[in-house]
Amino acid sequence: MAMGTVTAPHELRFDTGRVCLDLLATTHPVERLGSVEVLRAWITGSGLVPADTALAHADPSWLPAFRELRGQLVPLVRGRPAPGVRSYDLALARVNELARAAPPAPRAVPGEDGVLVRRLDGPPGRAALLAAVARDAVNLLTDPVARGSLRQCEGDNCPIVYLDTSRGRRRRWCSSEVCGNRERVARHRRRAALARA
């Protein structure tokens, strides 16, 4: 991503089925976490905090911390479990270390219409938010059913890993609207080219 370019929040992806996998998706097709503003949009969009949570205290030091956690998730989620391999063991130790911090503390408060809404006790710190993502990864990695539902997108050059919760476990793409549509367009073009030939 060029310096100064801001990724619009609508360009962030939240369709993998897990917060930790949504963080992994921020590398495709280019680096998405290029500014603190985009990181704030990702934190809110991922559901780590309620939509109206103030994140003004997030500063540039948050970017390398979230990117580092994302990098640690790669060998744990995209590869086969490989205990005993140094890179895997180091990544697992780091994720476990980050998961030890207390995540943001939620509370239920009456909203304007009297219906209970989720709020946080105060502005969430960087360590608390990293802990929430790391705990999501720990839960994913230790749940055999969820782990068995992990799929790599079948889209051309798409590295996104998602949780397949579809009926019959037949989901092929990270997003039907993105990679699925791209595949349908390519298939149509191939058929049209064959018809012309």
Side-chain angles (χ1 to χ4, degrees):
M1 182 190 304
M3 293 301 288
T5 303
V6 175
T7 300
H10 69 273
E11 293 177 7
L12 295 169
R13 302 278 301 272
F14 302 105
D15 51 7
T16 66
R18 294 300 283 247
V19 172
C20 64
L21 299 178
D22 285 342
L23 181 60
L24 274 178
T26 61
T27 62
H28 180 71
V30 295
E31 173 63 65
R32 296 291 187 195
L33 300 182
S35 70
V36 177
E37 292 74 28
V38 175
L39 178 59
R40 288 180 186 131
W42 183 85
I43 290 168
T44 301
S46 70
L48 285 174
V49 299
D52 58 354
T53 302
L55 293 170
H57 61 290
D59 63 44
S61 73
W62 288 38
L63 285 169
F66 275 84
R67 288 183 191 145
E68 189 248 342
L69 172 55
R70 183 182 64 193
Q72 302 300 342
L73 294 173
V74 171
L76 302 177
V77 173
R78 287 203 177 126
R80 297 223 179 267
V85 173
R86 183 168 164 71
S87 60
Y88 181 92
D89 289 346
L90 290 173
L92 187 58
R94 182 65 176 137
V95 168
N96 283 333
E97 179 185 334
L98 289 169
R100 292 180 66 177
R107 58 193 179 110
V109 298
E112 290 180 21
D113 57 2
V115 175
L116 293 177
V117 294
R118 182 174 66 115
R119 296 282 184 264
L120 300 181
D121 262 348
R126 181 181 73 191
L129 292 169
L130 289 168
V133 178
R135 285 175 182 219
D136 182 59
V138 167
N139 289 334
L140 172 65
L141 296 169
T142 59
D143 179 344
V145 173
R147 186 140 182 104
S149 297
L150 285 177
R151 301 285 183 271
Q152 168 77 46
C153 181
E154 292 181 22
D156 284 343
N157 301 314
C158 182
I160 293 180
V161 175
Y162 60 89
L163 203 60
D164 183 0
T165 57
S166 68
R167 180 180 288 178
R169 304 286 188 255
R170 294 186 194 163
R171 184 172 162 190
R172 295 179 52 201
W173 304 293
C174 61
S175 166
S176 182
E177 291 78 29
V178 180
C179 287
N181 191 51
R182 198 173 293 137
E183 176 62 27
R184 286 186 290 275
V185 168
R187 195 171 32 216
H188 172 74
R189 287 182 179 154
R190 285 191 299 269
R191 281 194 308 265
L194 283 173
R196 285 192 304 270

